[in-house]
Amino acid sequence: MTETTGSTATPESGNPEGADGAAATTDGDDKALSRRDRKRARKAQGGDRKSGKRAKKGLFARIAVFYRQIIAELRKVVWPSRGELIQYTTVVVVFVVTIMLLVYGLDTAFAKLSLLVFG
């Protein structure tokens, strides 16, 4: 098993090295570096700054993105019609009342049984 977890170039995943289209980075010995080693090398050279989508954004920009994502998700929601809402509510209320009656009946039965046993 290789040291790097989640690497796409591991023999265990059935993807031989270099098959994903990425060129393997080599050091002086022509030995292929793992993803972790390449990242450490970039960080040591000062080139590990994030860019593009992963760049650090300001507080207000992140809040704006958060609310845009909320609105986008709410647009995907399939809202029930009035008839469906009434039907679903009725089913829930009937189920809750049924369970309440069952619990009440069992509680009363166990209370009378314990009164009968223990006097």
Side-chain angles (χ1 to χ4, degrees):
M1 175 124 177
T2 60
E3 184 179 316
T4 56
T5 305
S7 173
T8 58
T10 58
E12 291 87 8
S13 66
N15 191 6
E17 291 188 25
D20 59 350
T25 304
T26 59
D27 60 6
D29 303 350
D30 288 330
K31 178 181 171 188
L33 294 176
S34 66
R35 181 183 296 164
R36 181 183 296 166
D37 292 336
R38 289 191 307 264
K39 185 175 181 181
R40 286 180 182 159
R42 277 194 314 270
K43 192 171 187 177
Q45 294 172 356
D48 197 32
R49 293 190 178 91
K50 295 180 180 178
S51 62
K53 288 184 178 181
R54 298 183 68 169
K56 184 74 171 171
K57 296 180 182 176
L59 175 66
F60 293 110
R62 287 183 287 165
I63 291 172
V65 168
F66 176 70
Y67 281 110
R68 279 196 298 267
Q69 289 174 348
I70 289 174
I71 291 169
E73 287 298 322
L74 285 175
R75 286 186 180 140
K76 296 178 189 176
V77 173
V78 179
W79 298 98
S81 66
R82 183 175 177 88
E84 291 173 336
L85 184 63
I86 291 171
Q87 181 181 1
Y88 298 155
T89 305
T90 304
V91 167
V92 169
V93 169
V94 167
F95 178 76
V96 168
V97 168
T98 303
I99 296 299
M100 284 174 47
L101 289 174
L102 178 69
V103 169
Y104 172 75
L106 288 172
D107 184 49
T108 304
F110 283 126
K112 290 191 180 201
L113 182 66
S114 65
L115 195 72
L116 189 92
V117 170
F118 299 112

Short mmCIF file of all heavy atoms in Angstrom, two decimals, residues 3 6 38 68 70 75 78 89 93 98 105 107 113 116:
data_model
loop_
_atom_site.label_atom_id
_atom_site.label_comp_id
_atom_site.label_asym_id
_atom_site.label_seq_id
_atom_site.Cartn_x
_atom_site.Cartn_y
_atom_site.Cartn_z
N GLU A 3 2.01 5.23 0.58
CA GLU A 3 1.91 6.11 1.73
C GLU A 3 0.84 7.17 1.56
O GLU A 3 0.20 7.59 2.50
CB GLU A 3 3.27 6.77 1.99
CG GLU A 3 3.30 7.62 3.24
CD GLU A 3 4.66 8.22 3.45
OE1 GLU A 3 5.65 7.49 3.30
OE2 GLU A 3 4.72 9.40 3.78
N GLY A 6 -5.56 8.23 -1.04
CA GLY A 6 -6.41 8.89 -2.02
C GLY A 6 -5.71 9.26 -3.30
O GLY A 6 -6.26 9.98 -4.11
N ARG A 38 5.26 16.29 -3.62
CA ARG A 38 5.18 17.44 -4.52
C ARG A 38 4.61 18.66 -3.81
O ARG A 38 5.08 19.78 -4.00
CB ARG A 38 4.33 17.10 -5.75
CG ARG A 38 5.00 16.12 -6.70
CD ARG A 38 4.27 16.00 -8.01
NE ARG A 38 2.86 15.70 -7.90
CZ ARG A 38 2.33 14.48 -7.99
NH1 ARG A 38 3.12 13.45 -8.21
NH2 ARG A 38 1.04 14.30 -7.90
N ARG A 68 -26.39 33.16 -1.68
CA ARG A 68 -26.71 32.76 -3.05
C ARG A 68 -26.91 31.25 -3.13
O ARG A 68 -27.79 30.77 -3.86
CB ARG A 68 -25.60 33.19 -4.00
CG ARG A 68 -25.71 34.65 -4.41
CD ARG A 68 -24.85 34.95 -5.62
NE ARG A 68 -23.43 34.74 -5.38
CZ ARG A 68 -22.57 35.67 -4.98
NH1 ARG A 68 -22.99 36.90 -4.78
NH2 ARG A 68 -21.31 35.40 -4.78
N ILE A 70 -27.99 29.36 -0.66
CA ILE A 70 -29.27 29.08 -0.01
C ILE A 70 -30.41 29.28 -0.99
O ILE A 70 -31.32 28.44 -1.12
CB ILE A 70 -29.46 29.96 1.24
CG1 ILE A 70 -28.53 29.52 2.35
CG2 ILE A 70 -30.91 29.90 1.72
CD1 ILE A 70 -28.55 30.43 3.56
N ARG A 75 -34.65 27.05 -4.63
CA ARG A 75 -35.30 26.95 -5.95
C ARG A 75 -35.44 25.51 -6.39
O ARG A 75 -36.29 25.19 -7.23
CB ARG A 75 -34.49 27.73 -6.98
CG ARG A 75 -34.65 29.21 -6.82
CD ARG A 75 -33.96 29.96 -7.94
NE ARG A 75 -34.14 31.39 -7.73
CZ ARG A 75 -33.20 32.29 -7.94
NH1 ARG A 75 -32.02 31.93 -8.40
NH2 ARG A 75 -33.44 33.57 -7.72
N VAL A 78 -39.19 21.08 -4.22
CA VAL A 78 -40.51 20.86 -4.79
C VAL A 78 -41.52 21.11 -3.67
O VAL A 78 -41.63 20.31 -2.74
CB VAL A 78 -40.65 19.43 -5.35
CG1 VAL A 78 -42.04 19.21 -5.91
CG2 VAL A 78 -39.59 19.17 -6.39
N THR A 89 -50.41 16.58 6.52
CA THR A 89 -50.65 17.00 7.90
C THR A 89 -51.65 16.06 8.58
O THR A 89 -51.46 15.68 9.74
CB THR A 89 -51.17 18.45 7.93
OG1 THR A 89 -50.24 19.28 7.24
CG2 THR A 89 -51.34 18.94 9.35
N VAL A 93 -50.95 13.83 11.97
CA VAL A 93 -51.78 14.00 13.18
C VAL A 93 -52.44 12.67 13.56
O VAL A 93 -52.46 12.29 14.74
CB VAL A 93 -52.83 15.12 12.97
CG1 VAL A 93 -53.86 15.13 14.08
CG2 VAL A 93 -52.14 16.47 12.89
N THR A 98 -52.69 8.08 17.22
CA THR A 98 -52.70 6.62 17.37
C THR A 98 -51.60 6.16 18.33
O THR A 98 -51.85 5.33 19.22
CB THR A 98 -52.52 5.95 15.99
OG1 THR A 98 -53.54 6.40 15.12
CG2 THR A 98 -52.58 4.44 16.11
N GLY A 105 -52.76 3.44 26.60
CA GLY A 105 -53.33 2.13 26.94
C GLY A 105 -52.32 1.24 27.64
O GLY A 105 -52.64 0.59 28.65
N ASP A 107 -49.66 2.23 29.34
CA ASP A 107 -49.36 2.82 30.65
C ASP A 107 -50.45 2.48 31.65
O ASP A 107 -50.17 2.10 32.79
CB ASP A 107 -49.22 4.34 30.50
CG ASP A 107 -48.81 4.99 31.80
OD1 ASP A 107 -47.83 4.52 32.43
OD2 ASP A 107 -49.45 5.99 32.19
N LEU A 113 -51.79 -3.39 36.48
CA LEU A 113 -51.12 -4.65 36.76
C LEU A 113 -50.19 -4.53 37.97
O LEU A 113 -50.17 -5.39 38.84
CB LEU A 113 -50.32 -5.10 35.53
CG LEU A 113 -49.60 -6.44 35.65
CD1 LEU A 113 -50.59 -7.58 35.76
CD2 LEU A 113 -48.68 -6.65 34.46
N LEU A 116 -52.25 -4.38 41.05
CA LEU A 116 -52.78 -5.69 41.38
C LEU A 116 -51.71 -6.57 42.00
O LEU A 116 -51.97 -7.29 42.98
CB LEU A 116 -53.32 -6.36 40.10
CG LEU A 116 -54.11 -7.64 40.31
CD1 LEU A 116 -55.58 -7.32 40.44
CD2 LEU A 116 -53.84 -8.61 39.18
#
